[in-house]
Amino acid sequence: VYPAAKAGIRLDPVKWQQDFNLEHSDDVLCLAISPDRKLVATGQLGSKPSIIIWDAETCATVRVLRGFHRRAVLQLAWSPDGRLLGSLGADDDHSLAVYDWKDQVLLAKTAVCKRKMLGLAFGPLGERLMTVGVKSVGFWDLCEGGRQLRYEKALISTKGRLQAFMCCTWIHDTAIAGTADGHLYTFEPVDGRLSRELTITKKAHDDMITSMCPYVGGLCTGGKDGMVKLWDFELSPIQEFDVRNLQRPSISPRIRSVDVSPDGAKILVGTQGSEIYEMNTVDGSNMNKDALVQAHFKGQLWGLAVHPNPTNDPELEEFITVGDDCTIRKWDLKTMKLKKVLPMDSPARAVAYKPDGTEICVGLGAGTGKANNRDGAFVIFQPSKDPTKDLAVVHEDRESQEWVRTICYSPDGRRMAIGCEDNQIYVYDTKENWSRTCVLNYHSAPITALDFTEDSLYMQSTDSAGALHFGDVLAGVQIPTGAALRDVKWANQTCPLGWAVKGMQKPESTKVEVTAAARSSSKKLVVGADNFGRVSMYHHPAPDTEAGCIVYRGHGGVTNDASTNPFKGTGVTRMRFSANDSHVISLGGGDRAVFQWRVVPDPSVEEGDKAGESGDDSEVEVDGGEGPALEKEEYAEQQAKYFTAVKPWVQTTVAPSRLPDENLEPPNVTLELEHAYGQRSADVRGCLLYNANGSVLFPSAAVGVVYDPATNAQSFHIGHRGDVISMAVTDNGLVAATGDSHAQPQVRVWDAMTGQTLAVLPRVAQQRRGISALAFSRDGKWCASVGQDTHHTVAAFTSYNGQWSDALRVATTATSTQKVLFALFIGPVDFPLMLGGVKHAEFLTLNGRTLMRRRAVFGKQRKVQPLLCAADFNDSLVVTGTVTGHFYLWSKDKVKCERQIYAHDGPIYAVAKDKAGLVSGSKDGYIKLWDHELKEIGSYSVLDAVPMPLNCAVHSVTVDMNSTKMLLATKSGDMYEIVKDSGTAMLLNECHSSKQLLALATHPTDPDLYATAGDDGAVRIWSASLRRCLSRSSPDLVGAAIRAMAWYPDGSALVVGCGGDPAATAKDGTFVVLEMGSTPAQKVGAIEIKHEDHKAKLPITDIAFCQDGSMFAIASEDCRIYIHDGKDYSIRAICSKTTSPSRSLDWSTDTKYLRAATRAFELIFFDAVDGRAITTPASVRDVKFGTNNTALGWSVQGIWPQIDDGFDIQTVDKSKRGDVLAKGDDAGNIRLVHFPCTNQDAGTVAAEGHATHVAKVRFSADDSRLITCGGFNRSILQYKVVPNGADPNGIGSNIADLPPVPPADETDTALEAKSDDK
């Protein structure tokens, strides 16, 4: 095992096969193998570097340790029993950490030394560590159960010399350090106790000792002198071998690493020349014909060229690399071995094959800053199958004085272009002894890439300043506009700029720079690479910035703190496809790694027939939380229509003649979320789940709800910035995850029993608009999320401890542009991950940090149609529900639909695994049970439920862990629990079912009651204490959408206003008076119509009663306000027409005046007698208003920000005591402030729960609760208003928070006297 770039690599020398651990996010700098040789630990570079522990056989990640070290992990060491892992960091103090790696616990940590540390080793019992470095040797004892480190400085005395100590180890109880002058310093035990005193020094090497390791026979050391030596336990020499004497000697033989096999027969030797040799311990011979591993070893690696192989000769499947180590290397694509190494007298960073493969041009120079009279020269080599004649020099020339950056031949081979550091492009004629034909000098920065057109007449080139230019090669002039060449065909695409690769470019804010590009010979694919070491594959061309790609990781890149971090990278410098497009070769600039990627074409060939209209379902369009899209668009247009930078009401606001006292402190209360009504299911499916103890999990607004049906109590997960539209729970029911709808969506992981946050998963920049699907693996250690961006980006996260406190993002990839409707882990433990959606399915597997996609095939006689849901049926099959009502059964191995079963008479929206087999729910309103043979064994009809849902389409279904109960949610938002044996259904939760919910009114006298009505036309009366709906009307009772309502002041009846749904306008402008009977056994009876009238011409927007109930006002979309008599409902007055519809109304306490807030942000006062508008606001400045539901005016101006933030304050309500104001806005903010509020700096009390448009906020009759409703998500949230300092019974409330003292007969003087007596 060994590291390269970001990879941990396992090489099987017999099979000549490599396996990879690609878990690291940056270059691997150190490696240690466990004492039993079963585990490998690797440490990386990075601002917050990780330590990855992985299986030495499978390369699978076992644990990830991170969070303590900074900059890099420099050294790793295992304790002898393999229980502990020690690490040294690259921070200023070179901190030492000791981990219990299995439990991922940091046991102890300490600062070590300001000087560089070079070695770390555990003592024989794992209770003592040795650290060595530049003029530093120290011993550390683990104390107090390993949770503290006690330091002892080594005593060198006169026996040795304080110098650089390069490495260290232990042989039994003796500590040994290797020094810079080639000595072994030993610290032997004294009186049977470990000692820190130097006892023996022994000259071992002629130069510094760079590596050592103990083995069964004693000690093995390697030095800068190129010698490998074996010593017995007494440090007497046994054998010594010179790496320079091997059959294939090292280019740079300084030893950097040694390790001896457990049987003591073989030595692995790593050299500074990036070679790994396997040597025999008996005679030091090379056990292989050549080095096991060879690579470029100095500076950076830039030069790459792939043989064009025009004759398809298998022997010519090769490529060339050149680097700063002054070598040219030829590699075999088939055998994956180095064929030839040729030393040169200069570094080189550019190389190219002639199109016929008959010559190779190498451009010299590297820009290292050192004087080099070869910079700018180019050398022509002639390849040959004869090893003795291969790479013979046939020509050499030099035009530029600065180093060559890139070389390109024209397709006809006639011309060769060289781009240099001096900003020039030199063009040569290959048939005229490489004579120069022209110099193109239109660039203002060094040249980075060159491409010819297929006719060899034109060239495109890029430079390091990010400019793309075009030139005429024959005339030697620049073509000023790219449009002149818009229709030409390019022979290759190595320029990372241009129309065909525009989709590769990232926004500047990401700091991503595309450093390399290459197009396949077939012109179907193009790959790009960036400065962060990522390789991305696109379809060619990729002109759209939203172009989908698959991202592969392995190379190192730039570091986030490169200014302070000495370890810097440059990302990927070159990429090329092989001649037959079977492979992609990539070079890492800083890591000097050569990666050979195999291009695996998707073998899937779709044979299914298109479903056509039979495969269409209108609900697919709104799945994923996109139901309110039309309403949101209409609302946004409405807001934009009336938006003004300066609000008209501000200009007309007049302060009262006597200013009241104002309290700028936050109200001394807290808003506690008590209950959430409304499970989002109309446009979200599969989000109804059980936790481990049988409680119900569901989303409502921006809240994840944990609901206990037995107690009708809820707990909550709060923290989302958008409405929750996806949810998943682990198989054990202990951990839940929710995703929201937001421009930058979040995935939050939380305790499924309590709602407490466990983790907020790392942000995935590509995932935008929302998270449409989530899935946990069977073991609960993996979570996948699917974004709502154009390419439905999938992200995979992991938690190695399963508790998600260590959440880590592992991989992301773009998937289909078709909507993804579900994600499901189908492996026995985790992967593969299945995605399904609109007419597609695919299976994803994880390879390191890359998600590998494979398209699933519908197969013959299968309709290609939307897949709506899925369940992991057994070890070999996955079952999906389809629009046509069929089950499709997919083979996990073949990634193909094997057969289909007709299951329902409508689309199957939900399936869930059950102990007996499967449970499914459909648009036809049926729940069906299936056995393990997929034979129907039972069914339930939602139509039999009491009360019956408004829409019986089943959108979610799940089964409890005991398989005795089922949960289902209908499209109308009704949630039922069904007992499987009896079929009994119990309604657990309900809410309004379609479009918007804008009408909310709390009962004026009973603090327990409030009413809601929505676009579904249903009116519901709720009990706050019982936390349930007491009475509901059929939508047919009123027969229209309802967007306004108000109670009579005595609570005897309810007036609702109709209209607002563009699809049903017949009753727009109608108001209906409803009354509810009651009995001793039933607080609220059936809702019945008492009166109905129609005066307004357009939908009603608000209704308000005066305090004595003698009149009520109705605001309409027709820009008028109608004042009706409270008893006979006749028209009293019609107010003057306003410029825009009124959205809220308030009556004065004396019933003489009415004020209205309009959509155009005007505040208008009316005379209630004749409806005349009052044109002088100063005349009503001292009028008292009984309510404050208008969000405009002097008394509420402080709730508006000084600078318009674009979020409209939709609703306000003044408490019945009149001292607190509640507000709700378009951003979902719920706030309490003291009333009046004229200062923007006034303190507020916030409540979480909503994250989008809040339509109404209302206090209960006694101000003990605040009821809110979301306009688009139709969720109703019930908050308790809890005085600070009070216990649950209200005892301990502050005096200021108690209701005002009732009026008394005593005079103020008497009251003051009583107060003084107290």
Side-chain angles (χ1 to χ4, degrees):
V1 291
Y2 63 96
K6 295 180 183 178
I9 302 172
R10 174 186 177 272
L11 171 65
D12 186 331
V14 178
K15 296 180 180 179
W16 198 246
Q17 177 180 316
Q18 290 179 337
D19 297 301
F20 308 94
N21 179 279
L22 297 172
E23 194 76 33
H24 283 285
S25 59
D26 218 318
D27 285 358
V28 180
L29 299 184
C30 56
L31 177 148
I33 194 163
S34 64
D36 60 6
R37 308 243 167 197
K38 293 182 179 180
L39 296 173
V40 181
T42 44
Q44 69 169 68
L45 167 69
S47 57
K48 295 181 180 179
S50 299
I51 300 170
I52 309 295
I53 300 169
W54 43 282
D55 189 290
E57 285 296 320
T58 64
C59 293
T61 299
V62 178
R63 291 290 188 276
V64 176
L65 307 175
R66 59 178 179 152
F68 172 66
H69 287 296
R70 295 295 181 268
R71 297 184 187 168
V73 179
L74 298 178
Q75 299 288 332
L76 291 168
W78 293 84
S79 63
D81 59 2
R83 186 178 66 88
L84 304 179
L85 183 69
S87 60
L88 283 171
D91 56 285
D92 291 341
D93 295 317
H94 296 93
S95 297
L96 169 65
V98 179
Y99 294 91
D100 181 336
W101 64 270
K102 277 190 178 179
D103 294 333
Q104 294 177 293
V105 175
L106 178 60
L107 295 177
K109 58 183 179 180
T110 185
V112 177
C113 181
K114 296 290 184 183
R115 299 188 183 99
K116 180 181 285 188
M117 302 308 296
L118 300 171
L120 172 68
F122 268 94
L125 299 178
E127 297 177 354
R128 190 173 176 88
L129 293 99
M130 182 183 188
T131 58
V132 298
V134 177
K135 296 185 178 181
S136 172
V137 179
F139 295 92
W140 307 83
D141 290 319
L142 285 166
C143 307
E144 298 186 11
R147 299 198 173 274
Q148 282 193 4
L149 287 164
R150 185 178 62 200
Y151 174 66
E152 287 185 338
K153 184 178 180 180
L155 300 178
I156 302 298
S157 69
T158 58
K159 294 181 180 180
R161 180 170 65 88
L162 194 61
Q163 55 183 301
F165 296 89
M166 310 303 296
C167 51
C168 64
T169 190
W170 293 75
I171 296 182
H172 302 314
D173 294 342
T174 300
I176 304 174
T179 69
D181 63 3
H183 282 78
L184 293 175
Y185 283 17
T186 63
F187 301 80
E188 295 180 341
V190 177
D191 298 331
R193 300 180 61 185
L194 301 180
S195 172
R196 62 182 177 132
E197 184 174 351
L198 176 62
T199 54
I200 299 174
T201 65
K202 185 179 186 66
K203 182 66 174 178
H205 286 264
D206 294 334
D207 209 326
M208 67 174 62
I209 300 174
T210 53
S211 179
M212 62 173 61
C213 72
Y215 78 108
V216 292
L219 180 70
C220 177
T221 61
K224 187 178 177 181
D225 57 5
M227 302 296 294
V228 177
K229 298 187 178 184
L230 299 178
W231 313 79
D232 64 16
F233 292 108
E234 303 300 326
L235 294 186
S236 299
I238 301 175
Q239 291 277 19
E240 64 176 44
F241 312 115
D242 192 337
V243 176
R244 292 165 291 193
N245 295 332
L246 293 174
Q247 183 181 359
R248 295 285 182 91
S250 170
I251 294 178
S252 181
R254 297 177 179 179
I255 308 302
R256 302 294 292 174
S257 179
V258 293
D259 188 40
V260 183
S261 61
D263 60 4
K266 297 179 288 186
I267 311 173
L268 272 182
V269 179
T271 70
Q272 188 166 304
S274 291
E275 300 134 332
I276 299 177
Y277 291 96
E278 195 172 32
M279 301 171 62
N280 192 304
T281 56
V282 176
D283 57 9
S285 60
N286 188 355
M287 300 184 69
N288 303 279
K289 292 181 179 180
D290 210 335
L292 287 175
V293 176
Q294 299 179 70
H296 292 272
F297 64 93
K298 186 179 179 182
Q300 296 194 20
L301 178 60
W302 285 39
L304 169 66
V306 176
H307 197 292
N309 197 9
T311 61
N312 293 321
D313 186 344
E315 294 186 21
L316 297 180
E317 293 184 17
E318 60 189 26
F319 61 95
I320 294 281
T321 58
V322 294
D324 291 0
D325 59 355
C326 303
T327 63
I328 177 170
R329 298 174 185 248
K330 181 183 287 189
W331 308 80
D332 192 312
L333 274 166
K334 292 184 65 178
T335 64
M336 294 175 286
K337 291 184 178 181
L338 185 64
K339 295 175 73 173
K340 186 180 182 69
V341 180
L342 181 68
M344 299 189 297
D345 59 358
S346 171
R349 292 191 174 182
V351 62
Y353 271 98
K354 194 174 181 180
D356 60 5
T358 58
E359 66 182 47
I360 300 168
C361 179
V362 175
L364 303 184
T368 57
K370 297 180 180 179
N372 185 359
N373 57 8
R374 304 282 283 160
D375 282 2
F378 68 90
V379 182
I380 305 297
F381 295 88
Q382 187 172 30
S384 173
K385 291 184 178 181
D386 185 348
T388 61
K389 298 179 180 180
D390 192 21
L391 299 181
V393 176
V394 296
H395 182 77
E396 184 173 342
D397 204 346
R398 183 185 187 193
E399 293 283 348
S400 176
Q401 301 301 308
E402 298 190 44
W403 60 284
V404 178
R405 295 178 66 107
T406 183
I407 303 172
C408 184
Y409 280 90
S410 63
D412 60 8
R414 179 68 184 266
R415 293 171 182 84
M416 179 182 72
I418 294 179
C420 295
E421 181 71 9
D422 60 5
N423 311 344
Q424 313 291 321
I425 301 173
Y426 301 85
V427 182
Y428 299 88
D429 190 328
T430 61
K431 293 187 177 181
E432 296 294 333
N433 199 31
W434 295 279
S435 60
R436 190 186 71 193
T437 60
C438 66
V439 177
L440 303 176
N441 56 5
Y442 39 72
H443 280 277
S444 58
I447 314 302
T448 56
L450 300 169
D451 292 317
F452 276 93
T453 55
E454 289 184 354
D455 58 13
S456 303
L457 299 178
Y458 306 102
M459 179 191 297
Q460 67 177 352
S461 53
T462 57
D463 60 34
S464 59
L468 173 65
H469 292 296
F470 301 90
D472 186 319
V473 180
L474 296 182
V477 297
Q478 179 182 10
I479 298 175
T481 60
L485 300 178
R486 63 188 303 173
D487 294 325
V488 302
K489 296 181 179 180
W490 296 96
N492 40 35
Q493 182 71 59
T494 63
C495 290
L497 302 175
W499 175 84
V501 292
K502 187 178 179 181
M504 291 184 182
Q505 303 303 318
K506 308 302 179 191
E508 283 189 23
S509 58
T510 63
K511 299 182 180 180
V512 175
E513 177 187 350
V514 181
T515 56
R519 191 188 67 194
S520 64
S521 301
S522 66
K523 300 183 181 180
K524 294 181 179 180
L525 297 174
V526 62
V527 290
D530 60 35
N531 53 331
F532 288 94
R534 295 171 296 199
V535 174
S536 304
M537 180 171 285
Y538 300 79
H539 286 292
H540 181 270
D544 191 346
T545 54
E546 294 291 328
C549 68
I550 303 176
V551 179
Y552 302 91
R553 294 169 174 83
H555 284 291
V558 296
T559 58
N560 293 329
D561 56 347
S563 59
T564 59
N565 200 321
F567 309 97
K568 300 179 182 179
T570 55
V572 179
T573 52
R574 290 286 187 275
M575 301 188 69
R576 293 292 185 270
F577 275 90
S578 62
N580 59 3
D581 293 341
S582 62
H583 294 85
V584 171
I585 311 299
S586 61
L587 304 184
D591 58 43
R592 298 187 296 275
V594 180
F595 281 10
Q596 179 175 322
W597 309 81
R598 185 170 62 252
V599 179
V600 183
D602 189 347
S604 307
V605 177
E606 187 55 70
E607 300 171 331
D609 300 323
K610 292 184 178 180
E613 292 184 2
S614 65
D616 292 337
D617 182 37
S618 58
E619 295 192 21
V620 172
E621 297 179 6
V622 301
D623 271 339
E626 299 187 40
L630 180 60
E631 287 77 17
K632 287 182 178 180
E633 184 177 338
E634 293 174 350
Y635 177 76
E637 291 176 357
Q638 183 186 96
Q639 293 296 95
K641 179 179 178 181
Y642 296 111
F643 176 80
T644 56
V646 179
K647 309 302 184 188
W649 69 270
V650 177
Q651 311 299 321
T652 59
T653 296
V654 180
S657 55
R658 184 176 178 180
L659 296 178
D661 294 333
E662 186 172 353
N663 188 348
L664 297 182
E665 294 295 321
N668 196 28
V669 296
T670 301
L671 287 174
E672 293 182 359
L673 183 57
E674 183 180 15
H675 208 78
Y677 305 88
Q679 186 258 347
R680 186 162 185 170
S681 58
D683 58 352
V684 169
R685 292 185 291 104
C687 288
L688 186 60
L689 306 162
Y690 278 110
N691 70 5
N693 65 3
S695 294
V696 180
L697 309 179
F698 65 91
S700 183
V703 178
V705 182
V706 183
Y707 172 60
D708 184 352
T711 61
N712 195 29
Q714 295 178 347
S715 55
F716 310 95
H717 173 74
I718 295 176
H720 280 285
R721 300 176 298 177
D723 287 344
V724 177
I725 59 172
S726 55
M727 177 179 279
V729 69
T730 54
D731 282 5
N732 60 15
L734 296 177
V735 177
T738 42
D740 57 34
S741 174
H742 192 270
Q744 297 179 335
Q746 283 184 338
V747 177
R748 301 178 66 89
V749 181
W750 42 280
D751 189 317
M753 312 296 283
T754 65
Q756 295 296 312
T757 301
L758 298 177
V760 179
L761 298 187
R763 171 88 180 90
V764 179
Q766 297 91 332
Q767 290 183 333
R768 294 185 291 275
R769 293 178 50 210
I771 303 297
S772 59
L774 289 169
F776 276 109
S777 61
R778 284 191 182 180
D779 62 0
K781 294 184 177 182
W782 287 90
C783 179
S785 65
V786 182
Q788 288 186 330
D789 51 283
T790 304
H791 296 282
H792 300 95
T793 300
V794 174
F797 306 87
T798 191
S799 167
Y800 290 100
N801 62 17
Q803 303 301 311
W804 291 94
S805 57
D806 60 340
L808 175 70
R809 185 182 70 206
V810 176
T812 63
T813 187
T815 61
S816 173
T817 55
Q818 297 276 21
K819 180 179 283 190
V820 175
L821 299 176
F822 66 82
L824 179 69
F825 281 96
I826 59 173
V829 178
D830 42 57
F831 289 90
L833 173 71
M834 183 182 183
L835 302 181
V838 177
K839 301 178 182 179
H840 80 282
E842 56 185 281
F843 288 59
L844 284 74
T845 56
L846 186 68
N847 180 13
R849 297 177 68 88
T850 299
L851 287 167
M852 311 295 290
R853 299 171 57 203
R854 186 176 176 187
R855 183 165 57 94
V857 176
F858 283 79
K860 292 182 178 179
Q861 299 179 349
R862 312 273 187 267
K863 288 188 176 182
V864 179
Q865 58 175 313
L867 305 178
L868 305 178
C869 52
D872 188 7
F873 189 57
N874 55 38
D875 293 340
S876 60
L877 292 176
V878 181
V879 175
T880 60
T882 67
V883 168
T884 57
H886 290 83
F887 285 146
Y888 278 8
L889 278 65
W890 301 81
S891 167
K892 296 180 182 180
D893 296 330
K894 298 179 182 178
V895 193
K896 184 177 181 179
C897 182
E898 294 285 277
R899 59 191 178 105
Q900 65 184 27
I901 297 173
Y902 187 74
H904 285 270
D905 293 334
I908 301 172
Y909 289 140
V911 291
K913 194 171 182 180
D914 184 19
K915 287 183 178 180
L918 204 68
V919 178
S920 61
S922 169
K923 191 175 184 177
D924 61 10
Y926 277 88
I927 304 290
K928 293 188 177 182
L929 308 182
W930 310 82
D931 64 13
H932 291 291
E933 302 293 327
L934 283 181
K935 295 179 180 178
E936 186 179 338
I937 56 176
S939 66
Y940 307 90
S941 175
V942 180
L943 295 173
D944 297 333
V946 179
M948 191 175 73
L950 298 181
N951 190 312
C952 66
V954 179
H955 272 205
S956 294
V957 66
T958 190
V959 184
D960 73 338
M961 292 187 177
N962 296 322
S963 194
T964 58
K965 295 181 293 184
M966 297 183 297
L967 277 175
L968 69 92
T970 66
K971 182 182 178 181
S972 55
D974 303 287
M975 182 197 302
Y976 297 91
E977 187 171 55
I978 299 177
V979 179
K980 291 176 67 175
D981 290 342
S982 64
T984 305
M986 180 174 68
L987 181 66
L988 300 183
N989 203 307
E990 62 181 299
C991 201
H992 295 275
S993 62
S994 65
K995 297 189 177 178
Q996 297 188 56
L997 173 60
L998 302 181
L1000 164 67
T1002 52
H1003 197 283
T1005 60
D1006 190 338
D1008 187 44
L1009 298 181
Y1010 60 92
T1012 59
D1015 286 0
D1016 59 1
V1019 177
R1020 284 177 164 85
I1021 312 298
W1022 307 83
S1023 168
S1025 61
L1026 297 178
R1027 301 186 292 279
R1028 65 182 180 87
C1029 180
L1030 300 179
S1031 182
R1032 64 190 62 79
S1033 73
S1034 166
D1036 299 329
L1037 180 69
V1038 175
I1042 300 171
R1043 294 192 174 183
M1045 66 179 359
W1047 291 90
Y1048 267 78
D1050 60 0
S1052 60
L1054 189 66
V1055 180
V1056 299
C1058 298
D1061 185 355
T1065 60
K1067 298 188 73 171
D1068 283 4
T1070 301
F1071 73 87
V1072 180
V1073 181
L1074 305 173
E1075 60 182 4
M1076 291 71 64
S1078 63
T1079 64
Q1082 191 173 11
K1083 191 174 184 179
V1084 178
I1087 302 172
E1088 298 177 351
I1089 294 179
K1090 181 180 180 182
H1091 179 80
E1092 184 174 324
D1093 204 348
H1094 190 165
K1095 292 294 187 293
K1097 299 178 179 62
L1098 292 175
I1100 293 172
T1101 57
D1102 197 23
I1103 302 174
F1105 274 89
C1106 65
Q1107 282 192 313
D1108 61 8
S1110 60
M1111 293 180 287
F1112 61 92
I1114 293 178
S1116 170
E1117 291 276 1
D1118 62 11
C1119 301
R1120 294 189 181 276
I1121 299 172
Y1122 301 85
I1123 300 177
H1124 292 261
D1125 188 279
K1127 293 184 178 179
D1128 60 13
Y1129 315 114
S1130 61
I1131 283 284
R1132 289 272 196 100
I1134 299 178
C1135 297
S1136 304
K1137 191 171 184 178
T1138 56
T1139 59
S1140 65
S1142 299
R1143 62 182 187 180
S1144 55
L1145 304 170
D1146 286 317
W1147 283 88
S1148 63
T1149 55
D1150 59 8
T1151 71
K1152 293 182 179 180
Y1153 301 100
L1154 185 70
R1155 69 180 175 194
T1158 71
R1159 287 190 185 144
F1161 297 95
E1162 299 169 301
L1163 182 62
I1164 304 175
F1165 298 87
F1166 299 95
D1167 189 314
V1169 176
D1170 56 11
R1172 175 179 51 85
I1174 298 173
T1175 58
T1176 55
S1179 63
V1180 291
R1181 65 193 299 179
D1182 294 323
V1183 172
K1184 304 295 183 185
F1185 286 84
T1187 58
N1188 209 114
N1189 293 329
T1190 54
L1192 313 177
W1194 180 87
S1195 60
V1196 294
Q1197 60 186 312
I1199 66 175
W1200 293 89
Q1202 292 182 353
I1203 300 175
D1204 194 342
D1205 58 6
F1207 295 119
D1208 187 10
I1209 297 175
Q1210 281 295 312
T1211 174
V1212 295
D1213 188 39
K1214 184 177 66 175
S1215 65
K1216 306 303 183 286
R1217 294 197 337 257
D1219 60 341
V1220 175
L1221 185 81
K1223 71 162 186 173
D1225 64 22
D1226 283 343
N1229 297 310
I1230 304 292
R1231 298 285 188 271
L1232 298 184
V1233 296
H1234 279 292
F1235 183 84
C1237 179
T1238 63
N1239 193 319
Q1240 282 89 357
D1241 295 328
T1244 65
V1245 173
E1248 293 186 278
H1250 289 286
T1252 55
H1253 177 68
V1254 178
K1256 285 289 187 297
V1257 294
R1258 290 295 184 263
F1259 281 101
S1260 62
D1262 62 355
D1263 295 337
S1264 64
R1265 288 183 171 91
L1266 181 72
I1267 313 299
T1268 67
C1269 67
F1272 300 126
N1273 57 38
R1274 301 187 297 276
S1275 292
I1276 302 170
L1277 300 186
Q1278 177 177 309
Y1279 297 89
K1280 290 181 69 174
V1281 182
V1282 181
N1284 292 336
D1287 68 10
N1289 298 316
I1291 299 173
S1293 302
N1294 294 318
I1295 297 297
D1297 298 313
L1298 295 176
V1301 178
D1305 295 334
E1306 293 97 337
T1307 63
D1308 291 343
T1309 306
L1311 287 173
E1312 289 179 7
K1314 285 190 175 184
S1315 179
D1316 290 340
D1317 291 342
K1318 288 184 179 179

